Amino acid sequence: MNNCLAIDGGEPAVPRGTIMPGHPATAIDEELVLRSLRSTSHAWGENCESLQREWAAWNGNTHCIAVNSGTAALHMCLAACGVGAGDEVITPAYSWTSSASCVLHQNAIPVFVDVDPRTANIDPLKIEAAITPRTRALIAVHLHGVPADMDPILKIAARRNLLVIEDACQAHGALYRGRKVGTLGHCAGFSLNQNKMFSAGEGGLFVSDDFGRVERARSLVLFGDFRKPLDDDYHWYGMGWQYRYNELCAAYARAQLPRLDSYIDRARALFAVLRDELTEVPGLRIPVEPEYSRENGYNFVCHVEPCEVGYQGPANFLREAVVRALQAEGVPASVWQRRILPEFAAIAARNAYGKGSPWKEHHSPVRYDPAQFPNALYHSATYFIIGDLRMPNTEDTARLIAAGIKKVFAELPRIDIDALAKDADVSLYERGWRTHSADH
Ligand SMILES: Cc1ncc(COP(=O)(O)O)c(C=O)c1O
């Protein structure tokens, strides 16, 4: 292969048009969505009801409530667990904002715990130190489709009388010791948002096996009106939102559900090719699949290791430069979230409901110093993901992608990292710390 990098005018390793959009719509999808479109019911109806039953059966849960986002499903998890003002909830320092905002939605206080550098999931060894008499629940996020290490998490929770919420928004079909995520804790939320392994454009699925929790969750769905099905008397019983799902998206989700296992199998097969091809690339750390899990193939999460390539500048400059060079090669590399949760203004400036609430009313101080979370900081500055590796893409495409990655890493010593990083179309902020290895 020509090793002149595409950023220097060389041929891209992955020619344009090679990577196909993932999970294209089929005739069945079109038929179910059209049937729904031509019906008279586009809000709640038979597709939503059936999706609930079908997802619960597919995932092995007793109950499911279909809602309009994963964020809504997570908020419902907090309500289901009876979390309210004055409570603290433990959540990982690195995740999507919803893994912390769902706590604030219930007027409770998020308490962060650093992540395991191997998986970027919450580090069970660091949970105990974050528990206080006010801790009521903890959220285990199965980030990038890799299950959090649930056995130690569940043990701590049982010993300390805490409820466990699974944020399974990215992890449909992932297994922990042979069990599907969403069946391990007390309740869970999945997302059906665009680009998820199981997507209907938008949507969410709340699951739990406890009827009381399901009813508490349901109370949020429709304006605080949680009447029994045959009761026509509208009433407003408590704070409620409008989280109800809709028929068109539910029809699209139902049409795809029978294909979800094949989506996962294909993504995992493409991950296997990347793993085979990318062992021993200096400077590149590829993801390990923890021995206790079967990931669902959502994102292939790599790291650029500054120490291995002798780069002395800020770790995130190196990462941005590498991603820029990879993208020029046609490799579907990207960075998902560049900051850790305690760095976001909503948390750092305690800017949730305004006027310092709900922290102002909280009885004990909570620290949000990013330096408390070195593994999360290191992860957020050094990782990049290979996404879009979905059906109908083939092993040959995965090999081309791997070739593009090897090409860029081979040329790394000759790249002007700082210039390329500054040229990248991202807001580049130098980390307060220089390159260092996290404790892994
Ligand atoms: C880990 C995680 N939690 C929660 C969510 C929220 O899901 P939604 O976008 O459907 O609200 C997402 C969405 O990307 C996510 O990645």
PDB file of all heavy atoms in Angstrom, residues 68-72 74 95-99 141-144 167-170 189-194 196 202-204 298 336, ligand 1:
ATOM      1  N   ASN A  68     -40.141   7.844  25.009  1.00  0.00           N
ATOM      2  CA  ASN A  68     -39.598   8.540  23.843  1.00  0.00           C
ATOM      3  C   ASN A  68     -38.086   8.780  23.871  1.00  0.00           C
ATOM      4  O   ASN A  68     -37.545   9.361  22.929  1.00  0.00           O
ATOM      5  CB  ASN A  68     -40.366   9.850  23.591  1.00  0.00           C
ATOM      6  CG  ASN A  68     -40.399  10.737  24.825  1.00  0.00           C
ATOM      7  OD1 ASN A  68     -39.606  10.558  25.747  1.00  0.00           O
ATOM      8  ND2 ASN A  68     -41.330  11.672  24.855  1.00  0.00           N
ATOM      9  N   SER A  69     -37.378   8.347  24.912  1.00  0.00           N
ATOM     10  CA  SER A  69     -35.910   8.423  24.882  1.00  0.00           C
ATOM     11  C   SER A  69     -35.310   7.534  25.968  1.00  0.00           C
ATOM     12  O   SER A  69     -35.994   7.172  26.943  1.00  0.00           O
ATOM     13  CB  SER A  69     -35.417   9.869  25.080  1.00  0.00           C
ATOM     14  OG  SER A  69     -35.635  10.275  26.408  1.00  0.00           O
ATOM     15  N   GLY A  70     -34.020   7.252  25.803  1.00  0.00           N
ATOM     16  CA  GLY A  70     -33.287   6.547  26.851  1.00  0.00           C
ATOM     17  C   GLY A  70     -33.160   7.425  28.084  1.00  0.00           C
ATOM     18  O   GLY A  70     -33.171   6.938  29.223  1.00  0.00           O
ATOM     19  N   THR A  71     -33.044   8.729  27.868  1.00  0.00           N
ATOM     20  CA  THR A  71     -32.962   9.674  28.985  1.00  0.00           C
ATOM     21  C   THR A  71     -34.217   9.585  29.844  1.00  0.00           C
ATOM     22  O   THR A  71     -34.146   9.561  31.079  1.00  0.00           O
ATOM     23  CB  THR A  71     -32.794  11.110  28.431  1.00  0.00           C
ATOM     24  OG1 THR A  71     -31.635  11.121  27.592  1.00  0.00           O
ATOM     25  CG2 THR A  71     -32.652  12.136  29.524  1.00  0.00           C
ATOM     26  N   ALA A  72     -35.372   9.507  29.180  1.00  0.00           N
ATOM     27  CA  ALA A  72     -36.639   9.364  29.916  1.00  0.00           C
ATOM     28  C   ALA A  72     -36.645   8.045  30.694  1.00  0.00           C
ATOM     29  O   ALA A  72     -37.029   8.007  31.873  1.00  0.00           O
ATOM     30  CB  ALA A  72     -37.815   9.403  28.936  1.00  0.00           C
ATOM     31  N   LEU A  74     -34.167   6.394  31.857  1.00  0.00           N
ATOM     32  CA  LEU A  74     -33.272   6.479  33.018  1.00  0.00           C
ATOM     33  C   LEU A  74     -33.898   7.301  34.137  1.00  0.00           C
ATOM     34  O   LEU A  74     -33.797   6.952  35.311  1.00  0.00           O
ATOM     35  CB  LEU A  74     -31.936   7.106  32.614  1.00  0.00           C
ATOM     36  CG  LEU A  74     -30.972   6.222  31.838  1.00  0.00           C
ATOM     37  CD1 LEU A  74     -29.693   6.994  31.538  1.00  0.00           C
ATOM     38  CD2 LEU A  74     -30.652   4.945  32.600  1.00  0.00           C
ATOM     39  N   SER A  95     -19.365   9.266  31.206  1.00  0.00           N
ATOM     40  CA  SER A  95     -20.531   8.678  30.541  1.00  0.00           C
ATOM     41  C   SER A  95     -21.228   9.783  29.774  1.00  0.00           C
ATOM     42  O   SER A  95     -20.738  10.910  29.699  1.00  0.00           O
ATOM     43  CB  SER A  95     -21.488   8.047  31.558  1.00  0.00           C
ATOM     44  OG  SER A  95     -22.557   7.402  30.877  1.00  0.00           O
ATOM     45  N   TRP A  96     -22.371   9.437  29.210  1.00  0.00           N
ATOM     46  CA  TRP A  96     -23.223  10.442  28.588  1.00  0.00           C
ATOM     47  C   TRP A  96     -23.891  11.264  29.681  1.00  0.00           C
ATOM     48  O   TRP A  96     -24.084  10.776  30.795  1.00  0.00           O
ATOM     49  CB  TRP A  96     -24.284   9.752  27.716  1.00  0.00           C
ATOM     50  CG  TRP A  96     -25.142  10.712  26.956  1.00  0.00           C
ATOM     51  CD1 TRP A  96     -26.487  10.902  27.112  1.00  0.00           C
ATOM     52  CD2 TRP A  96     -24.726  11.598  25.925  1.00  0.00           C
ATOM     53  NE1 TRP A  96     -26.925  11.861  26.243  1.00  0.00           N
ATOM     54  CE2 TRP A  96     -25.858  12.309  25.493  1.00  0.00           C
ATOM     55  CE3 TRP A  96     -23.493  11.870  25.320  1.00  0.00           C
ATOM     56  CZ2 TRP A  96     -25.809  13.272  24.496  1.00  0.00           C
ATOM     57  CZ3 TRP A  96     -23.435  12.832  24.327  1.00  0.00           C
ATOM     58  CH2 TRP A  96     -24.587  13.518  23.925  1.00  0.00           C
ATOM     59  N   THR A  97     -24.244  12.521  29.361  1.00  0.00           N
ATOM     60  CA  THR A  97     -24.800  13.413  30.374  1.00  0.00           C
ATOM     61  C   THR A  97     -26.030  12.812  31.078  1.00  0.00           C
ATOM     62  O   THR A  97     -26.219  13.023  32.283  1.00  0.00           O
ATOM     63  CB  THR A  97     -25.216  14.756  29.760  1.00  0.00           C
ATOM     64  OG1 THR A  97     -26.101  14.487  28.681  1.00  0.00           O
ATOM     65  CG2 THR A  97     -24.029  15.516  29.229  1.00  0.00           C
ATOM     66  N   SER A  98     -26.826  12.036  30.338  1.00  0.00           N
ATOM     67  CA  SER A  98     -28.068  11.506  30.935  1.00  0.00           C
ATOM     68  C   SER A  98     -27.800  10.621  32.144  1.00  0.00           C
ATOM     69  O   SER A  98     -28.680  10.467  32.997  1.00  0.00           O
ATOM     70  CB  SER A  98     -28.854  10.687  29.915  1.00  0.00           C
ATOM     71  OG  SER A  98     -28.945  11.361  28.706  1.00  0.00           O
ATOM     72  N   SER A  99     -26.601  10.008  32.213  1.00  0.00           N
ATOM     73  CA  SER A  99     -26.287   9.132  33.355  1.00  0.00           C
ATOM     74  C   SER A  99     -26.160   9.934  34.646  1.00  0.00           C
ATOM     75  O   SER A  99     -26.134   9.360  35.734  1.00  0.00           O
ATOM     76  CB  SER A  99     -24.982   8.361  33.112  1.00  0.00           C
ATOM     77  OG  SER A  99     -24.940   7.803  31.840  1.00  0.00           O
ATOM     78  N   VAL A 141     -23.233   1.950  34.245  1.00  0.00           N
ATOM     79  CA  VAL A 141     -23.401   2.202  32.807  1.00  0.00           C
ATOM     80  C   VAL A 141     -22.609   1.136  32.050  1.00  0.00           C
ATOM     81  O   VAL A 141     -21.440   0.901  32.360  1.00  0.00           O
ATOM     82  CB  VAL A 141     -22.872   3.605  32.432  1.00  0.00           C
ATOM     83  CG1 VAL A 141     -23.144   3.901  30.958  1.00  0.00           C
ATOM     84  CG2 VAL A 141     -23.498   4.676  33.317  1.00  0.00           C
ATOM     85  N   HIS A 142     -23.243   0.507  31.077  1.00  0.00           N
ATOM     86  CA  HIS A 142     -22.545  -0.478  30.226  1.00  0.00           C
ATOM     87  C   HIS A 142     -22.076   0.277  28.980  1.00  0.00           C
ATOM     88  O   HIS A 142     -22.713   0.224  27.920  1.00  0.00           O
ATOM     89  CB  HIS A 142     -23.489  -1.615  29.859  1.00  0.00           C
ATOM     90  CG  HIS A 142     -24.163  -2.253  31.035  1.00  0.00           C
ATOM     91  ND1 HIS A 142     -23.461  -2.800  32.082  1.00  0.00           N
ATOM     92  CD2 HIS A 142     -25.487  -2.439  31.329  1.00  0.00           C
ATOM     93  CE1 HIS A 142     -24.323  -3.309  32.973  1.00  0.00           C
ATOM     94  NE2 HIS A 142     -25.538  -3.084  32.540  1.00  0.00           N
ATOM     95  N   LEU A 143     -20.984   1.013  29.152  1.00  0.00           N
ATOM     96  CA  LEU A 143     -20.585   1.967  28.119  1.00  0.00           C
ATOM     97  C   LEU A 143     -20.013   1.260  26.887  1.00  0.00           C
ATOM     98  O   LEU A 143     -19.270   0.292  27.008  1.00  0.00           O
ATOM     99  CB  LEU A 143     -19.553   2.934  28.705  1.00  0.00           C
ATOM    100  CG  LEU A 143     -19.479   4.297  28.038  1.00  0.00           C
ATOM    101  CD1 LEU A 143     -20.788   5.057  28.152  1.00  0.00           C
ATOM    102  CD2 LEU A 143     -18.341   5.127  28.608  1.00  0.00           C
ATOM    103  N   HIS A 144     -20.329   1.811  25.744  1.00  0.00           N
ATOM    104  CA  HIS A 144     -19.851   1.284  24.459  1.00  0.00           C
ATOM    105  C   HIS A 144     -20.234  -0.179  24.258  1.00  0.00           C
ATOM    106  O   HIS A 144     -19.551  -0.917  23.542  1.00  0.00           O
ATOM    107  CB  HIS A 144     -18.333   1.470  24.332  1.00  0.00           C
ATOM    108  CG  HIS A 144     -17.922   2.919  24.366  1.00  0.00           C
ATOM    109  ND1 HIS A 144     -18.364   3.836  23.433  1.00  0.00           N
ATOM    110  CD2 HIS A 144     -17.141   3.610  25.225  1.00  0.00           C
ATOM    111  CE1 HIS A 144     -17.858   5.030  23.715  1.00  0.00           C
ATOM    112  NE2 HIS A 144     -17.122   4.930  24.800  1.00  0.00           N
ATOM    113  N   ASP A 167     -27.703   1.560  33.254  1.00  0.00           N
ATOM    114  CA  ASP A 167     -27.817   2.381  32.053  1.00  0.00           C
ATOM    115  C   ASP A 167     -27.316   1.507  30.910  1.00  0.00           C
ATOM    116  O   ASP A 167     -26.113   1.385  30.667  1.00  0.00           O
ATOM    117  CB  ASP A 167     -26.978   3.666  32.189  1.00  0.00           C
ATOM    118  CG  ASP A 167     -27.032   4.523  30.929  1.00  0.00           C
ATOM    119  OD1 ASP A 167     -27.447   4.006  29.873  1.00  0.00           O
ATOM    120  OD2 ASP A 167     -26.628   5.702  30.997  1.00  0.00           O
ATOM    121  N   ALA A 168     -28.295   0.866  30.248  1.00  0.00           N
ATOM    122  CA  ALA A 168     -27.964  -0.062  29.170  1.00  0.00           C
ATOM    123  C   ALA A 168     -28.232   0.580  27.815  1.00  0.00           C
ATOM    124  O   ALA A 168     -28.456  -0.106  26.824  1.00  0.00           O
ATOM    125  CB  ALA A 168     -28.779  -1.339  29.343  1.00  0.00           C
ATOM    126  N   CYS A 169     -28.220   1.938  27.804  1.00  0.00           N
ATOM    127  CA  CYS A 169     -28.625   2.659  26.588  1.00  0.00           C
ATOM    128  C   CYS A 169     -27.792   2.269  25.371  1.00  0.00           C
ATOM    129  O   CYS A 169     -28.260   2.324  24.244  1.00  0.00           O
ATOM    130  CB  CYS A 169     -28.549   4.168  26.836  1.00  0.00           C
ATOM    131  SG  CYS A 169     -29.959   4.726  27.817  1.00  0.00           S
ATOM    132  N   GLN A 170     -26.523   1.877  25.596  1.00  0.00           N
ATOM    133  CA  GLN A 170     -25.663   1.522  24.458  1.00  0.00           C
ATOM    134  C   GLN A 170     -25.455   0.011  24.336  1.00  0.00           C
ATOM    135  O   GLN A 170     -24.633  -0.416  23.543  1.00  0.00           O
ATOM    136  CB  GLN A 170     -24.282   2.165  24.642  1.00  0.00           C
ATOM    137  CG  GLN A 170     -24.295   3.671  24.753  1.00  0.00           C
ATOM    138  CD  GLN A 170     -22.895   4.263  24.765  1.00  0.00           C
ATOM    139  OE1 GLN A 170     -21.906   3.556  24.908  1.00  0.00           O
ATOM    140  NE2 GLN A 170     -22.810   5.575  24.612  1.00  0.00           N
ATOM    141  N   GLY A 189     -32.527   1.167  31.767  1.00  0.00           N
ATOM    142  CA  GLY A 189     -33.009   1.944  30.629  1.00  0.00           C
ATOM    143  C   GLY A 189     -32.193   1.630  29.395  1.00  0.00           C
ATOM    144  O   GLY A 189     -30.968   1.487  29.469  1.00  0.00           O
ATOM    145  N   PHE A 190     -32.878   1.483  28.261  1.00  0.00           N
ATOM    146  CA  PHE A 190     -32.237   1.317  26.950  1.00  0.00           C
ATOM    147  C   PHE A 190     -32.621   2.510  26.080  1.00  0.00           C
ATOM    148  O   PHE A 190     -33.708   3.070  26.242  1.00  0.00           O
ATOM    149  CB  PHE A 190     -32.741   0.050  26.251  1.00  0.00           C
ATOM    150  CG  PHE A 190     -32.335  -1.242  26.915  1.00  0.00           C
ATOM    151  CD1 PHE A 190     -33.109  -1.792  27.920  1.00  0.00           C
ATOM    152  CD2 PHE A 190     -31.178  -1.898  26.518  1.00  0.00           C
ATOM    153  CE1 PHE A 190     -32.744  -2.984  28.534  1.00  0.00           C
ATOM    154  CE2 PHE A 190     -30.804  -3.090  27.124  1.00  0.00           C
ATOM    155  CZ  PHE A 190     -31.581  -3.633  28.125  1.00  0.00           C
ATOM    156  N   SER A 191     -31.756   2.841  25.131  1.00  0.00           N
ATOM    157  CA  SER A 191     -32.062   3.902  24.174  1.00  0.00           C
ATOM    158  C   SER A 191     -32.325   3.297  22.799  1.00  0.00           C
ATOM    159  O   SER A 191     -31.687   2.323  22.412  1.00  0.00           O
ATOM    160  CB  SER A 191     -30.875   4.870  24.084  1.00  0.00           C
ATOM    161  OG  SER A 191     -31.038   5.739  22.981  1.00  0.00           O
ATOM    162  N   LEU A 192     -33.266   3.896  22.063  1.00  0.00           N
ATOM    163  CA  LEU A 192     -33.501   3.490  20.671  1.00  0.00           C
ATOM    164  C   LEU A 192     -33.116   4.635  19.739  1.00  0.00           C
ATOM    165  O   LEU A 192     -33.620   4.744  18.625  1.00  0.00           O
ATOM    166  CB  LEU A 192     -34.982   3.133  20.464  1.00  0.00           C
ATOM    167  CG  LEU A 192     -35.535   1.990  21.317  1.00  0.00           C
ATOM    168  CD1 LEU A 192     -37.003   1.755  21.012  1.00  0.00           C
ATOM    169  CD2 LEU A 192     -34.751   0.708  21.063  1.00  0.00           C
ATOM    170  N   ASN A 193     -32.228   5.495  20.246  1.00  0.00           N
ATOM    171  CA  ASN A 193     -31.806   6.670  19.491  1.00  0.00           C
ATOM    172  C   ASN A 193     -30.958   6.270  18.278  1.00  0.00           C
ATOM    173  O   ASN A 193     -30.331   5.219  18.253  1.00  0.00           O
ATOM    174  CB  ASN A 193     -31.033   7.590  20.448  1.00  0.00           C
ATOM    175  CG  ASN A 193     -30.203   8.607  19.722  1.00  0.00           C
ATOM    176  OD1 ASN A 193     -28.995   8.472  19.627  1.00  0.00           O
ATOM    177  ND2 ASN A 193     -30.860   9.603  19.209  1.00  0.00           N
ATOM    178  N   GLN A 194     -30.929   7.124  17.306  1.00  0.00           N
ATOM    179  CA  GLN A 194     -30.137   6.952  16.088  1.00  0.00           C
ATOM    180  C   GLN A 194     -28.753   6.384  16.388  1.00  0.00           C
ATOM    181  O   GLN A 194     -28.122   6.802  17.341  1.00  0.00           O
ATOM    182  CB  GLN A 194     -29.974   8.345  15.446  1.00  0.00           C
ATOM    183  CG  GLN A 194     -29.234   8.369  14.142  1.00  0.00           C
ATOM    184  CD  GLN A 194     -30.101   7.803  13.024  1.00  0.00           C
ATOM    185  OE1 GLN A 194     -31.268   8.119  12.951  1.00  0.00           O
ATOM    186  NE2 GLN A 194     -29.510   6.982  12.190  1.00  0.00           N
ATOM    187  N   LYS A 196     -27.767   3.677  17.627  1.00  0.00           N
ATOM    188  CA  LYS A 196     -27.622   2.609  18.620  1.00  0.00           C
ATOM    189  C   LYS A 196     -27.700   1.263  17.890  1.00  0.00           C
ATOM    190  O   LYS A 196     -28.162   1.183  16.752  1.00  0.00           O
ATOM    191  CB  LYS A 196     -28.734   2.704  19.677  1.00  0.00           C
ATOM    192  CG  LYS A 196     -28.671   3.975  20.502  1.00  0.00           C
ATOM    193  CD  LYS A 196     -27.468   3.978  21.411  1.00  0.00           C
ATOM    194  CE  LYS A 196     -27.450   5.156  22.365  1.00  0.00           C
ATOM    195  NZ  LYS A 196     -27.295   6.466  21.732  1.00  0.00           N
ATOM    196  N   GLU A 202     -35.562   7.507  17.392  1.00  0.00           N
ATOM    197  CA  GLU A 202     -35.559   7.917  18.798  1.00  0.00           C
ATOM    198  C   GLU A 202     -36.402   6.919  19.582  1.00  0.00           C
ATOM    199  O   GLU A 202     -37.231   6.205  19.008  1.00  0.00           O
ATOM    200  CB  GLU A 202     -36.156   9.322  18.996  1.00  0.00           C
ATOM    201  CG  GLU A 202     -35.383  10.471  18.373  1.00  0.00           C
ATOM    202  CD  GLU A 202     -34.133  10.878  19.129  1.00  0.00           C
ATOM    203  OE1 GLU A 202     -33.791  10.248  20.150  1.00  0.00           O
ATOM    204  OE2 GLU A 202     -33.494  11.862  18.683  1.00  0.00           O
ATOM    205  N   GLY A 203     -36.222   6.918  20.879  1.00  0.00           N
ATOM    206  CA  GLY A 203     -37.054   6.064  21.731  1.00  0.00           C
ATOM    207  C   GLY A 203     -36.283   5.545  22.920  1.00  0.00           C
ATOM    208  O   GLY A 203     -35.052   5.710  23.007  1.00  0.00           O
ATOM    209  N   GLY A 204     -37.003   4.949  23.847  1.00  0.00           N
ATOM    210  CA  GLY A 204     -36.362   4.381  25.032  1.00  0.00           C
ATOM    211  C   GLY A 204     -37.209   3.248  25.590  1.00  0.00           C
ATOM    212  O   GLY A 204     -38.415   3.152  25.298  1.00  0.00           O
ATOM    213  N   TYR A 298     -20.994  -2.445  19.840  1.00  0.00           N
ATOM    214  CA  TYR A 298     -21.493  -1.081  19.580  1.00  0.00           C
ATOM    215  C   TYR A 298     -20.372  -0.154  19.087  1.00  0.00           C
ATOM    216  O   TYR A 298     -20.460   0.406  17.994  1.00  0.00           O
ATOM    217  CB  TYR A 298     -22.154  -0.534  20.846  1.00  0.00           C
ATOM    218  CG  TYR A 298     -22.671   0.874  20.685  1.00  0.00           C
ATOM    219  CD1 TYR A 298     -23.571   1.188  19.677  1.00  0.00           C
ATOM    220  CD2 TYR A 298     -22.267   1.888  21.547  1.00  0.00           C
ATOM    221  CE1 TYR A 298     -24.046   2.479  19.517  1.00  0.00           C
ATOM    222  CE2 TYR A 298     -22.741   3.176  21.398  1.00  0.00           C
ATOM    223  CZ  TYR A 298     -23.629   3.470  20.379  1.00  0.00           C
ATOM    224  OH  TYR A 298     -24.086   4.749  20.221  1.00  0.00           O
ATOM    225  N   TRP A 336     -16.290  10.619  20.850  1.00  0.00           N
ATOM    226  CA  TRP A 336     -17.696  10.744  21.267  1.00  0.00           C
ATOM    227  C   TRP A 336     -17.823  11.882  22.270  1.00  0.00           C
ATOM    228  O   TRP A 336     -18.396  12.914  21.985  1.00  0.00           O
ATOM    229  CB  TRP A 336     -18.114   9.379  21.826  1.00  0.00           C
ATOM    230  CG  TRP A 336     -19.470   9.283  22.395  1.00  0.00           C
ATOM    231  CD1 TRP A 336     -20.651   9.476  21.749  1.00  0.00           C
ATOM    232  CD2 TRP A 336     -19.785   8.917  23.738  1.00  0.00           C
ATOM    233  NE1 TRP A 336     -21.683   9.250  22.601  1.00  0.00           N
ATOM    234  CE2 TRP A 336     -21.192   8.902  23.831  1.00  0.00           C
ATOM    235  CE3 TRP A 336     -19.030   8.590  24.867  1.00  0.00           C
ATOM    236  CZ2 TRP A 336     -21.854   8.586  25.015  1.00  0.00           C
ATOM    237  CZ3 TRP A 336     -19.687   8.270  26.028  1.00  0.00           C
ATOM    238  CH2 TRP A 336     -21.080   8.268  26.102  1.00  0.00           C
TER     239      TRP A 336
HETATM  240  C1  LIG B   1     -24.753   5.888  28.058  1.00  0.00           C
HETATM  241  C2  LIG B   1     -25.993   6.612  27.609  1.00  0.00           C
HETATM  242  N1  LIG B   1     -26.962   6.845  28.503  1.00  0.00           N
HETATM  243  C3  LIG B   1     -28.092   7.490  28.155  1.00  0.00           C
HETATM  244  C4  LIG B   1     -28.297   7.922  26.856  1.00  0.00           C
HETATM  245  C5  LIG B   1     -29.563   8.654  26.531  1.00  0.00           C
HETATM  246  O1  LIG B   1     -30.317   8.053  25.506  1.00  0.00           O
HETATM  247  P1  LIG B   1     -31.253   8.951  24.590  1.00  0.00           P
HETATM  248  O2  LIG B   1     -30.393   9.690  23.626  1.00  0.00           O
HETATM  249  O3  LIG B   1     -32.158   7.960  23.906  1.00  0.00           O
HETATM  250  O4  LIG B   1     -32.002   9.862  25.468  1.00  0.00           O
HETATM  251  C6  LIG B   1     -27.320   7.716  25.892  1.00  0.00           C
HETATM  252  C7  LIG B   1     -27.508   8.188  24.517  1.00  0.00           C
HETATM  253  O5  LIG B   1     -26.614   8.252  23.720  1.00  0.00           O
HETATM  254  C8  LIG B   1     -26.129   7.038  26.274  1.00  0.00           C
HETATM  255  O6  LIG B   1     -25.154   6.826  25.394  1.00  0.00           O
END
